[in-house]
Amino acid sequence: MPTPVLEVKNLKTYFKAEAGVAKAVDGVSFEIARGETFALVGESGCGKSVTALSIIQLIQDSGFYGGGQILLNGRDIIPLSEKEKREMRGNKVSMIFQEPMTSLNPVFTVGDQILETIMLHQKKPAVDAKAAAIEMLRSVKFPNPEAVFDEYPHRLSGGMRQRVMIAIALCCKPDLLIADEPTTALDVTIQDEIIKLIKELKDSMSTAVLLITHNLALVYNNAETVGVMYGGKIAELAPARALFKNPMHPYTVKLLRSIPDRGRRARQLDTIPGSVPPATAYAEGCRFSGRCPREMQGCAAIEPLLSAREPGHFAACHLYDKEFMEKPLSAPLHREAEALPPEGVQPPISTPPDAREPLVRVAGLKTYYPIRKGLLKRVTGYVKAVDGIDLTMKKGSTLALVGESGSGKTTVGKTIIRLIEPTDGEIIFKGARLTHLKESGLKNFRSKAQIIFQDPYSSLNPRLTVGKIIEEGLLTLKPELGKKARLEKIASTLGRVGLDAGAMERYPHEFSGGQRQRVGIARALAVDPEFIVCDEAVSALDVSVQAQILNLLKSIQREFGLSFLFITHDLGVVEYIADEVAVMHQGKIVEHSATEELFSNPKHAYTKKLLAA
């Protein structure tokens, strides 16, 4: 049997922290064969990226190896010298990082950055290296690679930048490619292109691929083997189809039941209570204890071993340990009643009726950006971001706006709530025309229309506490409230989104990604809006956190009769939450219909392309 390209054996990667030793990766084992794609999935904080950085030997100074081996083509790479590790990176193992804009150097051209890798590792002369770089750009599907070679990263789209990262990673034909969230926040069509590209290059070069992602649909379609990671350990390991067909670990089951789709539209999504514990405070036994719906007495004290439950299918759970289950201490805890409830008995969420009163209507809306050139910066043309669209958002309903990056979706949302000035057209809110109102006349509308941004970390002021962040809106839009009333309002709003009043005194960096998004929702809700623009509000969240936020949005919509304009590229989310869907392409609406109709019978070629991806 041929030697696997990568063998990870009982790997332990620890970090020194103020609270003690953080066991980020704590006894992980798996292997990847040549030409195989191995997917590592799990929530943020479970140790996926640290595993990848350990393999490529890029652990920061506070980290150290507590044991184990990393064998690349049979050779343990941990004891290698720094010089040998530098030679290994790029030549034998390469990595595509999650965010290409921050991974590419903005002051060097694309060509310079590919040349650097080729000349460093392949020792080719400049002329040959340039030819190889242009050929690699052609391999990653750039129609004009010579032009891209001389471009700077900021002049390329997100999908194009990710293709540049793939070109850099594969230009030396490595034996192992690590792809760390390579499609996060990319459009569905771009995601499809990137994954197909990685697969084609993997097949042509017989490269082994370690795919790290929280997108389970990508895993199902593209990985041969899946490792589900939790608390620094592998909780389940199986062939991809076997894992999706018969998940064994309660954590895997919960992850899969968190995925939104059309079949769950009238029900709440299953969620995982709590969050991944910090790596300095793992339980002695099963690390999923405390969150597990099937927890039994003794789970938190006795560590389950990862062992075969079916041929090739491994799970680390006491449910499959006959000796443990026969002990008197294995009595179930009270959470088992909530364990894996049948979908039919989950609490229903009301679906708004087809006929609702219009709340917001836009007619002939245009938002153009001038193109200025020359010394005098004369206007020579316009970027037509939004080019004459008509939309109606009904009371208590959700309209999803979908399309690729650059299609104008976010500009529509920001123009409707007047964060961007429209060039032409009408915006009508509850019968009142808003298009030409000055700032002073918009104050009443501002309290009725809010926005939830994609990245809650960058949209929350890091210098203010959560209480002050929410209070800003109340001071501006509800000045009649006294200090006591404001504090009561903030506390009650935080309670609505599942945060306690103590959160008021904490800063944004003290919260997880999902909790920060809840703060963003609380900020929008505090001023009692009737209409909210959700701009990619769940696109970068783990599937379990995404489920919590979607349940929250549906519940507050039902409770307060809110209307949502839901901007997203995740069609699974659209199927679950939207009543109507508008498809946008190059500044125009190309198709608009009820959700069921659009997914069952798309009419426009562009819509069919989105659904196919």
Side-chain angles (χ1 to χ4, degrees):
M1 188 173 177
T3 302
V5 171
L6 177 71
E7 294 174 88
V8 177
K9 296 184 176 182
N10 198 33
L11 176 65
K12 298 179 180 180
T13 306
Y14 298 164
F15 293 87
K16 297 170 185 174
E18 288 184 12
V21 176
K23 298 179 179 180
V25 178
D26 194 22
V28 165
S29 300
F30 61 88
E31 60 183 47
I32 311 176
R34 186 167 297 280
E36 179 189 9
T37 297
F38 179 94
L40 203 54
V41 303
E43 295 170 283
S44 295
C46 68
K48 307 187 302 294
S49 291
V50 176
T51 301
L53 292 171
S54 300
I55 293 167
I56 203 169
Q57 298 288 284
L58 287 175
I59 293 300
Q60 56 189 292
D61 292 340
S62 62
F64 63 95
Y65 294 104
Q69 293 179 299
I70 302 171
L71 304 179
L72 189 66
N73 293 321
R75 183 188 187 192
D76 190 357
I77 62 176
I78 293 177
L80 297 181
S81 67
E82 280 305 313
K83 182 175 183 293
E84 289 172 312
K85 289 177 181 178
R86 283 197 299 272
E87 290 173 353
M88 173 199 72
R89 295 185 202 109
N91 255 339
K92 297 297 181 183
V93 54
S94 287
M95 188 163 178
I96 304 169
F97 293 93
Q98 180 170 350
E99 179 44 68
M101 195 60 217
T102 55
S103 302
L104 293 171
N105 193 322
V107 301
F108 291 108
T109 64
V110 165
D112 287 337
Q113 296 182 62
I114 302 176
L115 281 177
E116 181 184 28
T117 303
I118 295 174
M119 294 176 73
L120 178 65
H121 293 292
Q122 301 283 299
K123 311 299 182 188
K124 290 184 177 182
V127 174
D128 293 345
K130 182 174 181 178
I134 290 173
E135 186 56 36
M136 196 66 228
L137 287 171
R138 185 174 285 109
S139 298
V140 296
K141 303 297 184 350
F142 279 110
N144 190 356
E146 291 83 3
V148 174
F149 184 90
D150 295 318
E151 285 287 8
Y152 287 90
H154 72 272
R155 300 182 65 175
L156 304 177
S157 69
M160 292 169 78
R161 287 195 292 263
Q162 196 62 289
R163 277 188 271 168
V164 171
M165 288 296 298
I166 294 170
I168 293 172
L170 292 175
C171 62
C172 296
K173 297 181 171 56
D175 295 322
L176 173 67
L177 174 67
I178 301 171
D180 186 6
E181 299 280 10
T183 61
T184 296
L186 294 180
D187 301 319
V188 63
T189 49
I190 305 299
Q191 282 185 18
D192 190 50
E193 287 176 14
I194 296 299
I195 290 298
K196 279 183 178 175
L197 179 58
I198 291 174
K199 187 176 187 302
E200 286 174 14
L201 295 170
K202 177 200 76 168
D203 292 343
S204 65
M205 300 178 185
S206 295
T207 302
V209 176
L210 172 59
L211 174 64
I212 295 172
T213 183
H214 63 252
N215 187 330
L216 296 175
L218 286 184
V219 173
Y220 182 80
N221 290 315
N222 297 284
E224 284 80 37
T225 310
V226 183
V228 180
M229 200 165 176
Y230 186 85
K233 291 183 175 291
I234 298 287
E236 187 164 357
L237 182 67
R241 296 304 167 103
L243 183 130
F244 280 87
K245 184 178 179 181
N246 181 31
M248 290 187 157
H249 199 285
Y251 177 61
T252 311
V253 175
K254 278 285 193 180
L255 282 180
L256 294 177
R257 289 176 63 88
S258 299
I259 301 172
D261 60 32
R262 201 185 323 182
R264 296 184 171 103
R265 275 180 61 82
R267 296 173 173 85
Q268 285 188 321
L269 295 171
D270 207 359
T271 59
I272 306 174
S275 58
V276 179
T280 53
Y282 288 143
E284 287 294 319
C286 177
R287 294 181 177 179
F288 193 47
S289 62
R291 301 182 74 196
C292 180
R294 305 291 295 275
E295 185 178 352
M296 297 168 287
Q297 294 176 29
C299 281
I302 302 172
E303 182 179 347
L305 300 177
L306 185 69
S307 50
R309 309 306 177 188
E310 289 181 357
H313 196 149
F314 299 79
C317 183
H318 290 308
L319 288 171
Y320 308 102
D321 185 340
K322 186 177 178 183
E323 185 178 337
F324 180 92
M325 294 298 288
E326 289 174 350
K327 291 180 179 179
L329 56 75
S330 65
L333 297 177
H334 68 281
R335 279 191 296 276
E336 189 173 27
E338 308 164 14
L340 302 170
E343 292 193 21
V345 301
Q346 288 183 348
I349 294 179
S350 61
T351 303
D354 293 335
R356 288 282 180 118
E357 285 183 58
L359 180 72
V360 182
R361 188 166 65 84
V362 299
L365 187 67
K366 297 180 180 180
T367 306
Y368 294 175
Y369 297 104
I371 301 170
R372 300 180 185 274
K373 290 185 178 179
L375 186 64
L376 300 177
K377 300 296 180 185
R378 289 194 175 94
V379 176
T380 58
Y382 291 90
V383 174
K384 298 180 179 181
V386 180
D387 193 19
I389 69 165
D390 302 320
L391 284 176
T392 299
M393 282 135 279
K394 299 173 183 176
K395 288 184 179 178
S397 294
T398 299
L399 170 65
L401 193 59
V402 302
E404 294 172 289
S405 290
S407 61
K409 306 186 302 296
T410 295
T411 305
V412 169
K414 289 183 176 179
T415 303
I416 289 174
I417 61 173
R418 293 293 303 275
L419 291 180
I420 295 174
E421 287 301 308
T423 304
D424 196 10
E426 292 284 357
I427 303 169
I428 300 167
F429 178 73
K430 298 174 74 171
R433 283 179 164 76
L434 306 176
T435 316
H436 305 294
L437 282 180
K438 301 299 181 187
E439 195 64 34
S440 57
L442 285 172
K443 191 170 184 180
N444 182 56
F445 173 64
R446 292 266 189 250
S447 69
K448 301 299 180 186
Q450 291 287 304
I451 185 168
I452 302 167
F453 294 97
Q454 176 175 354
D455 182 0
Y457 195 71
S458 61
S459 64
L460 298 175
N461 191 328
R463 300 175 68 181
L464 297 182
T465 63
V466 163
K468 293 293 184 184
I469 288 169
I470 298 174
E471 190 179 28
E472 276 189 314
L474 293 172
L475 286 168
T476 304
L477 300 173
K478 292 188 176 291
E480 70 277 6
L481 293 178
K483 185 168 185 178
K484 183 180 178 183
R486 284 199 306 272
L487 291 175
E488 289 175 352
K489 182 74 172 175
I490 294 167
S492 67
T493 305
L494 286 171
R496 280 186 203 166
V497 300
L499 296 172
D500 59 48
M504 283 193 284
E505 303 303 320
R506 294 161 64 191
Y507 289 86
H509 72 270
E510 297 179 76
F511 294 89
S512 69
Q515 288 173 323
R516 283 196 290 267
Q517 195 60 289
R518 288 172 185 267
V519 172
I521 295 169
R523 177 173 60 180
L525 286 179
V527 296
D528 301 321
E530 296 179 38
F531 171 65
I532 298 179
V533 175
C534 301
D535 186 11
E536 299 280 12
V538 297
S539 66
L541 299 177
D542 294 323
V543 66
S544 56
V545 179
Q546 176 183 270
Q548 293 172 6
I549 299 301
L550 291 175
N551 284 345
L552 173 61
L553 291 173
K554 276 213 163 190
S555 66
I556 60 177
Q557 181 177 55
R558 179 178 57 188
E559 185 178 354
F560 302 105
L562 295 174
S563 301
F564 292 132
L565 175 63
F566 206 92
I567 297 168
T568 184
H569 62 254
D570 189 327
L571 297 178
V573 170
V574 171
E575 283 188 286
Y576 174 70
I577 201 168
D579 303 297
E580 297 177 61
V581 185
V583 181
M584 199 164 180
H585 183 53
Q586 296 182 350
K588 294 182 180 291
I589 301 296
V590 297
E591 188 163 357
H592 183 178
S593 69
T595 304
E596 288 281 344
E597 173 65 18
L598 184 129
F599 279 88
S600 301
N601 186 26
K603 301 288 196 302
H604 197 277
Y606 180 68
T607 309
K608 292 175 182 176
K609 178 187 172 186
L610 285 180
L611 295 178

